[in-house]
Amino acid sequence: MRILKSVHPLDWLAGGLLVCGLLLVAVGLLPARPAEDAMTRIGPLLVFLATVIVMAELTGKAQVFDAVASWVARTGKGSYPLLFGLCVLFASVTTITLNLDTTAVLLTPVMLALATRVGIAAVPLAMTTVWLSNTASLLLPVSNLTNLLAADRVALSPAGMAATMWSPQLAAILVTMACLWGFYWRRGRRGSESYVPPQPLRPADPVLFRVCALACAGFLVAILVADVPLWSASLTAALVVVAAFAFRRRSDLRISLVPWRLLMLVPGMFLVVETVNAHGLHDLLTATIGSDGGVLGMLRSAGVGAGLSNVLNNLPVYLAGEAAVPAENKHQLLALLIGTNVGPLVTPWASLATLLWFERCRTHGTRIPLKRFVGTGFVLAVTGTFAATAALALV
């Protein structure tokens, strides 16, 4: 009974989705062949997701992220506008290169700890993290699980996706910056006029610090330059980091490092969505999204993706929407991707990253006013999705 009480509600959700998906296959509502195809498709994605989160979690324990956050605060030199720009850069780069869920899991507590250390308001830093973990996730396949699916569908390499999505990504970040400053960072919202920069961070274990920093750098070089599968690059980097901890701090290697919740949630969600698709959702989305590959069709796809993501969740919405977009309409599919990445900012359940972020804020004791979160998120979801889609259409 005590064990059951300690299980988090999100764990119940993930486990329930997986059991539901397996039951749907067992009773025949989802035929075996589509279920097998779905599992074959997401196998490499699960390896990537598990290994990149383990690598990032241990890198956080080695104080790499803390060192960067401390450097950001010191580089800001007590100036809020400069600190704002640096925090945006830090959150954007982390999301683009290490996945939005990594930003939610690891960067959120770093930002909140930074707020405590330098005595500034926590909410602006927290909102910077959650908004950019979603809106800065367009550029690379590694940035978002939906990107991996989209890149596979339209046959884009990491470099090819960056060449296609750089303009929508820039537009989304610029709109996010404007909303962050207007709603949370401007004078009167941030809580003080200036701050005192912290002292330089000295890592507790310099060897671990250097190994983890080099492993992350090698991972980024591999996915951007070398023609290797993402799961292979993340697995190699994770093994290097795990080996370093095995030699230096074995006590930190725990089974809880593995993101079991995600490893249950993703296949369960795929199986459920495949079943719902086979029983009417596909027809509904096909009619809603349409087959127009032009600018209006792109805007329509992005709007449907953003709206449904806030009602359901962005991952199943993308999965269902992908099947509804004609195979030849590659830009319409990328517009749907924009909607499901930039748009899920209004409801707490719209993306997994937002759910993880809320949990981190709750653990830290930072209260996020829900009414303000919904209202400001709606403004950014509409303007950011429109700006990014328009940028894609123009380029």
Side-chain angles (χ1 to χ4, degrees):
M1 185 64 69
R2 183 175 299 177
I3 295 177
L4 291 177
K5 288 182 178 179
S6 65
V7 177
H8 193 276
L10 288 179
D11 294 321
W12 285 110
L13 173 64
L17 274 175
L18 180 58
V19 171
C20 181
L22 294 174
L23 286 174
L24 291 171
V25 176
V27 300
L29 286 175
L30 177 61
R33 179 54 64 86
E36 182 180 344
D37 290 343
M39 293 302 100
T40 300
R41 185 182 185 191
I42 68 170
L45 306 184
L46 293 176
V47 174
F48 161 74
L49 196 60
T51 53
V52 78
I53 288 180
V54 169
M55 177 191 69
E57 190 78 36
L58 290 175
T59 300
K61 290 180 181 292
Q63 297 181 287
V64 174
F65 292 109
D66 289 306
V68 177
S70 179
W71 173 82
V72 166
R74 286 183 289 108
T75 305
K77 298 178 180 178
S79 166
Y80 265 103
L82 184 54
L83 178 66
F84 170 70
L86 290 169
C87 285
V88 167
L89 179 63
F90 188 17
S92 298
V93 169
T94 303
T95 299
I96 289 170
T97 57
L98 287 178
N99 184 275
L100 78 166
D101 295 324
T102 298
T103 300
V105 170
L106 294 180
L107 189 56
T108 301
V110 170
M111 288 290 201
L112 295 175
L114 176 62
T116 301
R117 288 176 63 192
V118 300
I120 62 179
V123 172
L125 288 167
M127 294 304 300
T128 301
T129 304
V130 70
W131 277 0
L132 285 167
S133 69
N134 288 283
T135 62
S137 66
L138 289 172
L139 191 64
L140 298 174
V142 70
S143 308
N144 199 326
L145 182 57
T146 53
N147 294 12
L148 290 167
L149 300 172
D152 179 63
R153 166 76 179 269
V154 299
L156 283 176
S157 65
M161 188 166 191
T164 303
M165 299 299 285
W166 71 267
S167 181
Q169 181 62 93
L170 180 61
I173 290 177
L174 290 176
V175 173
T176 304
M177 290 177 67
C179 289
L180 279 170
W181 185 264
F183 290 131
Y184 293 100
W185 278 83
R186 64 181 171 83
R187 184 177 299 177
R189 291 289 189 183
R190 59 193 182 221
S192 61
E193 293 296 319
S194 62
Y195 69 94
V196 178
Q199 294 298 315
L201 178 72
R202 296 183 182 275
D205 189 326
V207 174
L208 267 182
F209 178 86
R210 294 190 188 98
V211 171
C212 291
L214 288 173
C216 283
F219 168 69
L220 299 181
V221 171
I223 64 172
L224 292 174
V225 178
D227 186 19
V228 297
L230 286 172
W231 67 267
S232 176
S234 63
L235 177 60
T236 302
L239 288 175
V240 170
V241 172
V242 168
F245 268 85
F247 280 103
R248 304 289 298 183
R249 255 169 38 201
R250 187 182 296 269
S251 60
D252 284 334
L253 295 178
R254 300 174 180 176
I255 196 68
S256 59
L257 288 172
V258 179
W260 301 110
R261 181 186 297 163
L262 288 179
L263 298 183
M264 292 189 295
L265 180 70
V266 173
M269 196 173 289
F270 266 74
L271 293 174
V272 170
V273 169
E274 286 288 338
T275 305
V276 176
N277 255 346
H279 294 275
L281 181 60
H282 173 75
D283 295 335
L284 175 63
L285 279 174
T286 299
T288 306
I289 291 176
S291 59
D292 180 5
V295 176
L296 291 179
M298 292 166 62
L299 290 171
R300 183 176 177 179
S301 296
V304 170
L308 285 180
S309 291
N310 285 291
V311 175
L312 302 172
N313 178 274
N314 67 333
L315 181 55
V317 168
Y318 174 79
L319 290 172
E322 181 188 68
V325 175
E328 65 275 12
N329 291 0
K330 293 185 177 181
H331 285 84
Q332 187 185 13
L333 180 69
L334 293 176
L336 173 70
L337 181 70
I338 289 173
T340 56
N341 284 19
V342 178
L345 300 170
V346 183
T347 57
W349 58 82
S351 75
L352 180 60
T354 305
L355 282 170
L356 295 171
W357 172 82
F358 261 109
E359 177 60 21
R360 291 288 182 167
C361 289
R362 186 194 64 79
T363 302
H364 183 266
T366 299
R367 180 179 174 273
I368 306 297
L370 188 58
K371 184 176 180 181
R372 191 176 177 202
F373 175 87
V374 170
T376 57
F378 177 79
V379 174
L380 176 56
V382 173
T383 55
T385 299
F386 177 80
T389 308
L392 177 65
L394 290 173
V395 173

